[in-house]
Amino acid sequence: MNLLTIKNLSKAFTDKVLLDGVDFSLEEGEKVGIIGINGTGKSTLLRIIAGLEEGDSGEYIKGKNVVINYLPQNPVFEPGQTVYEYVVKYNQGHDDSYGALEGEAKTILNQLGFDDVDVPVDNLSGGQKKKVALAAVLLSRNEVLILDEPTNHLDHHMTEWLEGWLKSYRGALIMITHDRYFLDLVCNRIVEIDKGKLYSYKTNYEGFLELKSQREEMALATQAKHRNILRKEIAWMQRGARARSTKQKAHIQRYEALRDEKPVEIDSNVEIESLSSRLGNKTIELENITVTFEGRTYIKDFSYNFLRNDRVGILGPNGCGKSSLLKLIMREYEPDTGSIEIGETVNIGYYAQEAVGMDDNQKVIDYVKDVAEYIRTEDGYISASQLLEKFLFTGSMQYQKIGKLSGGEKRRLYLARVLMGAPNVLILDEPTNDLDISTLYILEDYLDTFQGILITVSHDRYFLDRVVNRMLTFNSTGEITLFNGSYSDYYNSHRGEFEITVGSRNVNSNNSDDNLRDKASENEDAEETLSGAEAYKQQKAQNKKLKFTYKEQLEYDTIEDDIEALENKIAEIDEQLSDPKIASDFVKLNELGAAKSELEAQLDEKMDRYVYLEELAEKIKAGQ
């Protein structure tokens, strides 16, 4: 059953078009992941779906009894409210027993790490406030649940718990998250926002990557065909018009449409070859470090010598001291006991949770140039402008003021500035919280060739599996344990720690746990045939007299109509391929693609034949 539908939605912010005539619909049981680079309008789309914002144009239709609950990136709280009061008040108005609601509220808050549910929300950090709002939304009765970055500020235990909760959730789900494992395991549909358009794929994240690649390959193949046809049309235009004015006008219009067709824009595979400054034998040495605060021990008697090319991930519950360890290495403060020694050649690049020193009135390019104008790589030198292009700041965006950027775009810019310093020790504190998936791929590619030490605090399991080979894990008593292996290795060896459950309170009875994945059928090898061009050459050689045969004259009189008919059929298929429903149906997509390829082959032969007949007609006319 359809829950809501949006038709022909457009939305612009100042001079930037976020959504350009897009369609979106949601069915019962669908779990939709919205992806796209920061600043493309993902959060805007969620607010419009939630009914909190309107598009500039378009139609919004929602079922009469459909209840939507929405978790924003930055929830707002009433002054003086306690954690418990907020969650209970948010869910008042249901027909449930308040006793049951209160019990479930305490349960879910405890699962999210709130031992004291009477603490005022005003006293909490931004991350803790987000978890309070998450608890309230998860307890709500609804048919549609909308979550904007729900995994931000959740440690790996909580992320695993939320993943299980949402997999068993019985309503429809729409969410933005950059956690690729989360998308893969929870969602059964991916919607990508790209250059103002929506592309829907009825699959999980892994399937999305496969289908997107196939869509781009098909678009490139179509573009190549169109360029080939345009080349022939140009030759036709240069030879002059045939005397039939109406058909000539239509042919010229087809030529102009091909000439003005925008080139297909395909996401480029960004590679940044890094060559950091030289790192000596002595790097970072921690000896018997202890840190206490207000009677609590956060780091207890910890020693570790970082090796050259060490890639270390730091895991632990929120508030256990992970960021404190990073700040100790940065020498922002000293330990209570123990010592820290930093080698003379160490050049630290620090990506903090909060960017400092950003002036909203400064230009993007100048912010990066403040660090350096050029960075040395294995392939030579790269300028600040070139690095910004690799981080998706192209053209005029580099000369915009920072204040015009979205929050995610600012984080991407901050990362580019850190890397511009060519560090040989890279410290990343929760880099995946506000970076979009495209930027994470760029960062991961950079780290593939990074010649130095990587130290990162992250709850993004995919990122940890991708870039680190050992873990430092914190516990509640301040002890830090070294684990050699990836995050998945660690998870598999500590699986029992992740088995946390809590009931869900949703009215929708339809469950859609299984990820749907369409699989492409294998194409049979086509038999080799003599090309149309070669066939026509042979025919031309055999034609000793410069005159049309009866069949050639008949063909010459009708070939433009045949070409027009083929072009119209191809245009009809193109229109079907642009339908979001078709784009998510791979079987239908494959059928249409095959039909289009066959028509384009016929059109190609007709165009070759047309060129030959026109040349022959000109020679016949010249010989008369």
Side-chain angles (χ1 to χ4, degrees), residues 292-338:
T292 60
F293 181 71
E294 295 184 350
R296 177 181 172 182
T297 300
Y298 288 88
I299 300 175
K300 181 180 179 181
D301 194 27
F302 174 62
S303 298
Y304 188 80
N305 292 338
F306 287 91
L307 306 176
R308 295 170 67 179
N309 298 320
D310 229 349
R311 294 171 176 270
V312 181
I314 300 176
L315 284 180
N318 291 329
C320 69
K322 301 186 299 294
S323 294
S324 297
L325 178 60
L326 300 187
K327 291 176 181 179
L328 283 171
I329 296 172
M330 290 294 299
R331 307 309 294 265
E332 292 188 11
Y333 58 84
E334 296 297 318
D336 297 320
T337 62

Side-chain angles (χ1 to χ4, degrees), residues 182-298:
F182 205 85
L183 284 169
D184 205 42
L185 294 170
V186 173
C187 296
N188 55 33
R189 178 179 164 202
I190 301 294
V191 171
E192 181 185 26
I193 303 180
D194 185 21
K195 304 174 185 68
K197 300 298 183 181
L198 295 190
Y199 299 92
S200 181
Y201 305 83
K202 199 166 186 180
T203 178
N204 62 356
Y205 183 72
E206 181 182 352
F208 152 74
L209 294 176
E210 296 173 2
L211 294 181
K212 180 181 179 181
S213 175
Q214 292 168 8
R215 176 177 67 82
E216 290 181 341
E217 287 175 3
M218 184 179 293
L220 288 173
T222 299
Q223 177 177 266
K225 288 283 187 181
H226 285 187
R227 285 177 176 171
N228 190 37
I229 294 171
L230 179 60
R231 176 181 58 80
K232 296 165 186 173
E233 291 280 18
I234 290 173
W236 175 82
M237 290 289 290
Q238 291 172 342
R239 283 191 301 275
R242 235 198 261 183
R244 294 170 291 168
S245 59
T246 56
K247 292 184 179 180
Q248 176 64 24
K249 182 178 179 181
H251 208 142
I252 292 174
Q253 288 175 342
R254 292 197 298 274
Y255 155 74
E256 291 175 342
L258 287 169
R259 180 197 64 192
D260 298 334
E261 191 174 62
K262 292 183 179 179
V264 176
E265 296 183 43
I266 300 298
D267 295 342
S268 58
N269 294 320
V270 180
E271 295 182 359
I272 308 176
E273 297 291 338
S274 66
L275 185 62
S276 56
S277 52
R278 186 185 69 85
L279 184 60
N281 291 327
K282 185 172 182 178
T283 59
I284 301 170
E285 300 178 0
L286 309 178
E287 189 70 28
N288 302 122
I289 298 297
T290 296
V291 175
T292 60
F293 181 71
E294 295 184 350
R296 177 181 172 182
T297 300
Y298 288 88

Side-chain angles (χ1 to χ4, degrees), residues 95-259:
D95 296 331
D96 298 342
S97 163
Y98 284 107
L101 171 62
E102 292 171 358
E104 290 183 2
K106 290 180 180 179
T107 298
I108 198 168
L109 285 169
N110 288 334
Q111 296 285 9
L112 287 170
F114 292 98
D115 296 328
D116 182 4
V117 298
D118 294 320
V119 63
V121 177
D122 298 339
N123 297 349
L124 302 179
S125 66
Q128 290 172 316
K129 289 179 179 178
K130 181 72 173 283
K131 288 200 291 185
V132 172
L134 176 62
V137 170
L138 294 184
L139 284 176
S140 62
R141 281 199 177 279
N142 51 72
E143 281 72 37
V144 180
L145 190 58
I146 300 178
L147 307 176
D148 195 345
E149 296 289 2
T151 61
N152 277 10
H153 308 291
L154 295 184
D155 61 37
H156 58 285
H157 286 83
M158 294 301 101
T159 301
E160 296 282 349
W161 169 80
L162 180 60
E163 184 179 278
W165 196 98
L166 292 176
K167 285 172 70 175
S168 64
Y169 169 65
R170 294 175 292 176
L173 170 69
I174 308 172
M175 69 174 176
I176 297 170
T177 180
H178 304 144
D179 187 319
R180 286 155 285 183
Y181 281 164
F182 205 85
L183 284 169
D184 205 42
L185 294 170
V186 173
C187 296
N188 55 33
R189 178 179 164 202
I190 301 294
V191 171
E192 181 185 26
I193 303 180
D194 185 21
K195 304 174 185 68
K197 300 298 183 181
L198 295 190
Y199 299 92
S200 181
Y201 305 83
K202 199 166 186 180
T203 178
N204 62 356
Y205 183 72
E206 181 182 352
F208 152 74
L209 294 176
E210 296 173 2
L211 294 181
K212 180 181 179 181
S213 175
Q214 292 168 8
R215 176 177 67 82
E216 290 181 341
E217 287 175 3
M218 184 179 293
L220 288 173
T222 299
Q223 177 177 266
K225 288 283 187 181
H226 285 187
R227 285 177 176 171
N228 190 37
I229 294 171
L230 179 60
R231 176 181 58 80
K232 296 165 186 173
E233 291 280 18
I234 290 173
W236 175 82
M237 290 289 290
Q238 291 172 342
R239 283 191 301 275
R242 235 198 261 183
R244 294 170 291 168
S245 59
T246 56
K247 292 184 179 180
Q248 176 64 24
K249 182 178 179 181
H251 208 142
I252 292 174
Q253 288 175 342
R254 292 197 298 274
Y255 155 74
E256 291 175 342
L258 287 169
R259 180 197 64 192

Side-chain angles (χ1 to χ4, degrees), residues 598-617:
E598 183 178 347
L599 288 170
E600 286 176 335
Q602 294 176 24
L603 178 62
D604 198 35
E605 288 187 8
K606 283 289 183 184
M607 291 301 297
D608 278 334
R609 185 65 173 162
Y610 176 82
V611 170
Y612 164 68
L613 292 173
E614 278 288 351
E615 289 174 348
L616 182 57

